[in-house]
Amino acid sequence: MTTRLRRGRWTVATSLAACALLVSACGTAPTNTPDTGAGGSPSSGRGESPSAAAGGHAGVAREVRAYVDAVNARDLDALVTAFASDGVVIDVTRPIRGHDAIREWARAEVIGGTLKVVSIAERRSNGQKLLVHWAPAGSGGWRAHYDFTVSGGRVVQADLQYA
């Protein structure tokens, strides 16, 4: 597993990768692998199509799907556009606010990775919480909860936490 420090900062990717390495070193079976269906491909176990397992999980809100699809397409502009101009990402504890900051964060830490929706953990009138499998470039990845709040057709907050 490759971890990289970006500009001297400890990032979520390096934090989660370090946790995965500690778990592995302690001999505990990792729990950060995606669910696999009968064909061995990631799925939620609910019989969705392979394209659903790749990020288009049935029931994912349009605004949230825009974020997931942009990550998987490695489309930085589409990822930024998924957010309101004053949108915020909470990357574990670090707030990243506004299009410019989200663009820099995504360029350094998101684009190049893969994001698969495992399940919808919670539905609300203003968003939803997903259980995802996030794999930054060069890693096997791990599970995380991504909690999205939406308004006006855009993501206004994405709270990204360890699962």
Side-chain angles (χ1 to χ4, degrees), residues 38-86:
S41 62
S43 88
S44 71
R46 296 192 179 142
E48 71 268 302
S49 68
S51 64
H57 191 287
V60 174
R62 179 181 50 81
E63 300 90 344
V64 175
R65 195 170 46 250
Y67 175 86
V68 173
D69 290 348
V71 170
N72 290 322
R74 300 178 178 190
D75 188 337
L76 182 59
D77 291 332
L79 186 147
V80 172
T81 303
F83 285 88
S85 61
D86 60 348

Side-chain angles (χ1 to χ4, degrees), residues 27-144:
T28 305
T31 59
N32 59 352
T33 56
D35 291 337
T36 56
S41 62
S43 88
S44 71
R46 296 192 179 142
E48 71 268 302
S49 68
S51 64
H57 191 287
V60 174
R62 179 181 50 81
E63 300 90 344
V64 175
R65 195 170 46 250
Y67 175 86
V68 173
D69 290 348
V71 170
N72 290 322
R74 300 178 178 190
D75 188 337
L76 182 59
D77 291 332
L79 186 147
V80 172
T81 303
F83 285 88
S85 61
D86 60 348
V88 63
V89 173
I90 301 169
D91 189 354
V92 180
T93 60
R94 177 176 47 135
I96 299 142
R97 192 172 311 276
H99 278 176
D100 290 342
I102 290 170
R103 178 178 298 281
E104 289 308 309
W105 165 78
R107 181 189 333 270
E109 300 180 37
V110 178
I111 297 300
T114 58
L115 182 60
K116 295 181 182 175
V117 176
V118 175
S119 66
I120 299 172
E122 178 184 321
R123 298 174 196 263
R124 301 182 308 275
S125 62
N126 68 339
Q128 56 192 183
K129 183 177 188 177
L130 306 177
L131 176 62
V132 301
H133 181 263
W134 163 238
S139 83
W142 52 82
R143 287 188 178 200

